[in-house]
């Protein structure tokens, strides 16, 4: 056989040429940018959309918070609601029975990217488009359901009044903390201008509106997912400069930004010229890039704690990087199905609480970066009940509770049992886990102590979306471990723990039904007296602690590694750092 | 030969179709509810009013065509209605289907379901006794079997009897539950024609339409997305293939030439070790040791991994040139893995050929060892080598998921992984078609090459029976 020598020579030459032209080190950088001009952040995955109405996950919010502004937002340090787009936080005035009006004015200098002033018409447009039936925004629709109308002042379009029902205690927070969209870019023809918000919500009026092509078209163009990354534009200090699917999103500072005047508002700050969000799936890759000075900010929470501590003790590394731990408003909770024949017994749940070695879980699985909790209300909030008893790991106590509740090992198989409704029930429970390092580790620790008390745990590994859909939503589970997130605003436990929210796909996955707890949750929602509301929060947590429908475990701390030169503002608010604001400036 | 090639090309179409059907069927069995996953935030639905949620669920379901029957036809029991696929959400459909299988009476099941839903909305948010009724109703809603429904309904009746709740509709509901019995009717499988309006047909139609076949992740045309990824994968794979061919040929030859001597022994040990090392581990080690100055300045040989962000539009060639340094390590990793196997294979083939009697004859004729090896043993041993090498051709298009993830290269492997994780089926489907077609075309090209280089292989392909 003859191998064509000239072809192989040609291939060899081409290969050598490629290698030589590339060099081992990059010979022709695209554009040299100094570190301070650009902050590179590692993101483990890519956001689907940068449109807050269409998206809203924490991953997406991490980027669009620099593109869009709210009427008001939570101060990064105090977590209090502070004006951002508006001049001051409005006080509601009662205009008629059950209806409150809020008068506001947009800051004089506030303009969109193209210089068009931000007015009350933009607020009106935002609420209308979020309520459009063809815009997939169930969360926004729920949030804004109490808002009735937005009236813009004829003489001063920056002045406007929002009318809302006084049914829901978080309406004001929801109304002020939603991102505002530019009407002139999304509805240049003014299709929604002549349509009332109440007509979009009214079934009869809506069916007529849906006959209009223009009404349909506006939702279609707004929801166009292809434009939801590249063509998003808000009032925030940055704009999208480039998007490369699967690789990165680059934000660029707006020139002569109107917000520069308001140095006290963190959301309006424009510290770096560019913010680059680089999508890196693999943890080792992210770590290597960090060591090579190619990334400035990394959330190290998913990486092994030992590795984080090693880096922290490495002086060459810690001289260059700042190690921050931030306690975000997030908590890990052991969910128990209260409708399950065994777990409906309060004594079993109480015993179970004593079988969770929380110190070991926090130490071994979170490297000590976690705060023990005993309530579903975050410990950093004023509504948190500080008088609740501390979590106690005590196998003997658990055994004694189970014994006195009639659970004993009658057949000597090592598992406790009891006859309920004429049927012998073994105290063996299914524990659904996602297979993550944390859930596997925590379930093993719990299984170990349960075995000492004669409680059998069968671990079922399943991806989280399937567990949520097939088990939590349908009530076909016994226990699982999940992380819940909260916002800086007051909590509304009604959604997750009220008995009216039990059912297929509803939010009370615990199937917890207590008339006493229900009463406090209803009071939290309905009372206008803040002192009474605060007491209701305290009472609710006491009942929750007494009934133990679930076992709150701990609030994890986010482990951050940040280039010291960057020094962004860190906060308990998600994602824990704000790149547009420098802590020392 | 021409007819053979045409026949093989024609075979690609049905094969791809079968692969597509299998992929489609498998994705329909994927656990979870993709619409629910899309609508919820971090797995929670805080502040989400139930009615808004169901409206959005329905809108998205319609938009994605998931309200349509799965395929052109289906086989289902005779007591099944033809509208079962319209029930939302998915969990509700699963529960009602299970109930229907037990009772075999759709009329009774649907009447029971509508009464239950009407009662649930009536008693929602009520006080005291109404609240108890509401909780029991939701327990009935979640019941998975007929016996569960009956037992929970008994509990509800007890609550109703013990309280002052009076409702004619509730009494009717109890009667309806009583009438639900385990079905004993004779049922037989029915072939149901669903027509052209089905999920598979809709997907297939969109697959070849650039405007409509868009990614669910970012709405960009799938073909553009794949095109961008393919550029990186093909660039790396072609260079790798060339390197693998050259290096394994050279190494195999020299190992055979210096067989059983120290060079052969040492290189064999190294090659076996490399072959045994898992790709992800080897690649991670390369990244850790050779891209950072952590282990000494001399180890910081290669640039950082991943494609560098660009702030200006530029051609792929200039992008490739700027990132060529970043591609060296992944190419080395992919090359080393394949070279080890091919070299070992080539060496043993050459040595095997050398032991053949005609080699003895060649030596007897006075040819030197080098001449025997180069002129006779190597060309004969190349058949297996070329067969294995042509097997690598499809990999030009498929890339390597592990290598692309570890080195952060936005190639086709990484794209496929992320599409599967995000249930971005339009992307998954298109990649499956490309990969399966490329594999078949790759093998065809490989076979043609083999026939051209080794005419005696015509027999094995059955070409003797096919006239030109």
């Amino acid at each position: 056989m003859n191998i064509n020598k000239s072809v192989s020579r040609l291939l060899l030459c081409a290969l050598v040429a490629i290698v030589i032209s590339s060099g081992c080190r990059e010979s022709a950088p695209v554009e040299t940018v100094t570190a301070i001009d650009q902050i590179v952040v590692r993101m483990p995955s890519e956001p689907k959309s940068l449109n807050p109405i269409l998206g809203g996950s924490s991953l997406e919010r991490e980027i669009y918070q620099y593109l869009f502004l709210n009427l008001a937002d939570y101060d990064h340090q105090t977590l209090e609601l502070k004006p951002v787009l508006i001049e001051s936080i409005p006080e509601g005035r009662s205009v008629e029975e059950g209806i409150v009006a809020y008068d506001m004015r947009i800051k004089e200098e506030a303009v969109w990217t193209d210089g068009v002033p931000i007015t009350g018409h933009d607020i009106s447009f935002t609420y209308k488009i979020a309520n459009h039936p063809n815009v997939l925004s169930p969360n926004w629709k729920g949030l804004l359901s109490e808002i009735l109308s937005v009236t813009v002042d004829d003489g001063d379009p920056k002045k406007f009044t929002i009318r809302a029902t006084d049914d829901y205690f978080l309406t004001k927070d929801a109304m002020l903390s939603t991102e505002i969209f530019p009407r002139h870019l999304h509805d240049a023809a003014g299709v929604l201008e002549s349509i009332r918000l109440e007509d979009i919500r009214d079934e009869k009026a809506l069916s007529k509106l849906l006959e209009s092509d223009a009404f349909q078209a506006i939702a279609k163009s707004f929801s166009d997912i292809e434009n939801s990354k590249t063509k998003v534009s808000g009032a925030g200090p940055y704009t999208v400069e480039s998007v490369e699917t699967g690789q990165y999103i680059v934000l660029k500072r707006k020139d002569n930004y109107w917000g520069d005047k308001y140095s006290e508002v963190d959301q309006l700050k424009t510290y770096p010229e560019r913010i680059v969000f680089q999508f890196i799936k693999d943890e080792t890759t992210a770590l290597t890039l960090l060591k090579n000075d190619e990334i400035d900010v990394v959330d190290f929470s998913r990486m092994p704690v030992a590795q984080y501590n090693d880096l922290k003790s490495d002086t060459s590394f810690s001289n260059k990087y700042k190690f921050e731990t931030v306690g975000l408003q997030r908590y890990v909770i052991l969910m128990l199905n209260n409708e399950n024949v065994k777990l409906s017994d309060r004594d079993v749940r109480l015993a179970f609480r004593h079988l969770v070695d929380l110190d070991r879980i926090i130490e071994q699985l979170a490297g000590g970066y976690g705060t023990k909790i005993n309530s579903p209300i975050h410990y950093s909030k004023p509504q948190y009940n500080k008088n609740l008893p501390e979590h106690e790991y005590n196998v003997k106590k658990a055994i004694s509770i189970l014994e006195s509740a009639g659970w004993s090992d009658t057949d000597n198989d090592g598992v406790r049992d009891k006859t309920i409704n004429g049927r012998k029930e073994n105290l063996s429970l299914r524990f659904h886990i996602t297979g993550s390092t944390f859930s596997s580790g925590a379930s093993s620790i719990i299984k170990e102590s349960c075995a000492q008390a004669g409680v059998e745990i069968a671990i079922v590994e399943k991806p989280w979306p399937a567990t949520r859909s097939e088990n939590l939503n349908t009530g076909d589970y016994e226990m699982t471990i999940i992380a819940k997130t909260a916002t800086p605003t007051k909590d509304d436990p009604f959604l997750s723990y009220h008995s009216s929210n039990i059912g297929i796909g509803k939010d009370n996955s615990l199937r917890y039904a207590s008339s006493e707890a229900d009463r406090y949750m209803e009071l939290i929602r309905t009372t206008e007296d803040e002192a009474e509301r605060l007491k209701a929060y305290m009472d609710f947590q006491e009942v929750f602690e007494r009934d133990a429908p679930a076992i709150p475990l701990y609030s994890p701390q986010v482990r951050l590694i940040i280039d010291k030169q960057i020094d962004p503002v860190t906060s308990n608010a998600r994602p824990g750092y704000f790149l547009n604001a420098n802590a020392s400036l | 030969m021409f007819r053979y090639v045409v026949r093989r090309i024609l075979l690609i179409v049905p094969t791809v179709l079968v692969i597509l059907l299998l992929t489609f069927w498998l994705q329909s069995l994927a656990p979870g509810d993709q619409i629910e996953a899309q609508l919820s935030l971090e797995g929670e639905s805080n502040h989400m009013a139930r009615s808004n949620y169901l409206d959005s669920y329905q809108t998205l379901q319609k938009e994605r065509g998931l309200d349509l029957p799965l395929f052109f036809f289906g086989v289902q029991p005779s007591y099944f209605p033809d509208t079962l696929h319209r029930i939302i959400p998915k969990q509700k459909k699963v529960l009602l289907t299970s109930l229907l299988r037990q009772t075999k009476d759709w009329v009774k099941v649907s009447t029971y379901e509508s009464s239950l839903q009407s009662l649930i909305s009536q008693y929602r948010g009520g006080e005291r006794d109404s609240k108890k009724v509401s909780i029991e109703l939701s327990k009935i809603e979640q019941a998975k079997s007929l016996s569960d429904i009956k037992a929970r309904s008994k509990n509800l009746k007890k609550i109703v009897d013990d309280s002052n709740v009076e409702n004619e509709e509730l009494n009717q509901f109890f009667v309806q539950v009583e009438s639900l019995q385990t079905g004993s009717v004779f049922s037989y499988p029915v072939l149901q024609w669903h027509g052209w309006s089905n999920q598979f047909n809709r997907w297939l139609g969109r697959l070849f339409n650039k405007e409509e076949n868009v990614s669910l992740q970012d709405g960009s045309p799938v073909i553009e997305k794949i095109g961008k990824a393919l550029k990186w994968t093909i660039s790396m794979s072609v260079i790798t293939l060339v390197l693998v061919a050259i290096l394994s040929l050279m190494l195999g030859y020299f190992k055979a030439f210096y067989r059983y001597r120290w060079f052969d022994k040492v290189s064999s040990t190294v090659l076996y070790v490399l072959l045994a090392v898992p790709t992800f581990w080897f690649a991670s080690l390369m990244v850790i040791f050779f891209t950072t100055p952590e282990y000494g300045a001399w180890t910081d040989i290669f640039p950082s991994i991943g494609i560098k962000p660009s702030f200006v539009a530029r051609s792929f060639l200039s992008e490739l040139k700027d990132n060529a340094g970043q591609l060296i390590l992944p190419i080395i990793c992919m090359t080393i893995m394949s070279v080890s196997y091919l070299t070992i294979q080539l060496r043993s083939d050459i040595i095997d050929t050398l032991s053949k009697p005609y080699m003895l004859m060649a030596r007897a004729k006075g040819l030197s060892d080098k001449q025997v090896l180069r002129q006779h043993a190597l060309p004969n041993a190349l058949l297996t080598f070329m067969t294995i090498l042509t097997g690598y051709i499809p990999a030009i298009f498929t890339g390597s998921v592990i290598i692309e993830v570890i080195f952060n290269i936005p190639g086709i492997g990484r794209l496929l992984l992320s599409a599967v994780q995000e249930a971005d089926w339009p992307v998954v489907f298109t990649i499956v078609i490309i990969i399966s077609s490329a594999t078949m075309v790759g093998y065809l090209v490989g076979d043609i090459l083999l026939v051209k280089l080794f005419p005696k292989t015509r027999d094995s392909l059955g070409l003797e029976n096919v006239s030109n």
Side-chain angles (χ1 to χ4, degrees), chain A residues 124-273:
Chain A
S124 174
F125 166 77
T126 303
Y127 294 165
K128 285 175 189 171
I129 196 73
N131 276 287
H132 196 297
N134 294 351
V135 172
L136 289 174
S137 54
N139 285 290
W140 278 60
K141 286 185 174 93
L143 269 172
L144 303 173
S145 57
E146 309 297 328
I147 293 173
L148 301 172
S149 66
V150 181
T151 316
V152 184
D153 190 289
D154 289 337
D156 178 5
K158 288 215 169 246
K159 246 170 104 176
F160 62 98
T161 301
I162 297 178
R163 287 169 79 247
T165 63
D166 64 358
D167 293 348
Y168 188 48
F169 75 118
L170 293 176
T171 298
K172 185 173 153 186
D173 290 56
M175 170 183 87
L176 295 176
S177 57
T178 46
E179 288 76 10
I180 304 302
F181 284 74
R183 183 194 62 127
H184 68 287
L185 293 184
H186 295 284
D187 184 19
V191 176
L192 293 185
E193 204 172 342
S194 54
I195 297 168
R196 294 182 311 167
L197 188 57
E198 60 185 279
D199 288 341
I200 298 178
R201 292 204 188 112
D202 179 67
E203 211 172 309
K204 212 171 162 188
L206 181 65
S207 60
K208 208 169 173 191
L209 284 174
L210 285 169
E211 288 169 13
S212 150
D213 289 343
F215 185 70
Q216 300 256 25
I218 194 166
K220 200 174 175 202
S221 115
F222 186 83
S223 305
D224 185 356
I225 193 165
E226 194 182 358
N227 295 336
S228 74
K229 271 189 199 162
T230 48
K231 291 186 183 162
V232 284
S233 179
Y238 288 82
T239 53
V240 178
E241 188 181 36
S242 61
V243 176
E244 195 58 56
T245 306
Q247 296 184 55
Y248 52 79
I249 289 176
V250 183
L251 305 188
K252 192 176 184 301
R253 180 168 63 196
K254 285 180 184 170
D255 295 329
N256 304 317
Y257 183 56
W258 64 270
D260 291 343
K261 193 183 156 191
Y262 296 91
S263 55
E264 74 283 4
V265 185
D266 274 350
Q267 283 83 353
L268 301 178
K269 287 182 178 169
T270 53
Y271 172 55
E273 171 77 17

Side-chain angles (χ1 to χ4, degrees), chain A residues 246 285 291-292 473 507 511, chain B residues 36 45 291 294 304 406 414:
Chain A
T285 309
K291 286 178 178 172
N292 273 357
N473 284 353
D507 285 334
R511 271 82 185 159
Chain B
E36 185 196 75
S45 49
T291 64
E294 201 182 355
S304 284
I406 292 176
R414 208 180 73 162

Side-chain angles (χ1 to χ4, degrees), chain A residues 510-570:
Chain A
L510 297 175
R511 271 82 185 159
Y512 173 48
S514 150
S515 1
E516 200 183 351
D518 279 359
R519 202 169 57 245
Y520 294 129
M521 286 185 269
E522 286 156 20
L523 195 60
I524 289 171
R525 283 190 144 198
T526 52
T527 183
E528 287 176 18
D529 180 350
E530 283 305 320
E532 191 180 26
R533 194 189 322 275
L534 191 63
K535 188 171 180 313
Y537 271 114
M538 302 298 157
D539 293 341
F540 162 72
Q541 290 170 82
E542 266 175 34
V543 176
F544 195 90
E545 199 277 334
R546 191 194 63 206
D547 288 351
I551 305 169
L553 300 177
Y554 76 100
S555 177
Q557 287 170 350
V558 170
R559 301 187 295 273
L560 300 171
I561 300 183
I562 301 167
D563 190 319
K564 278 184 177 167
Q565 276 184 296
I566 308 297
D567 199 19
V569 166
T570 51

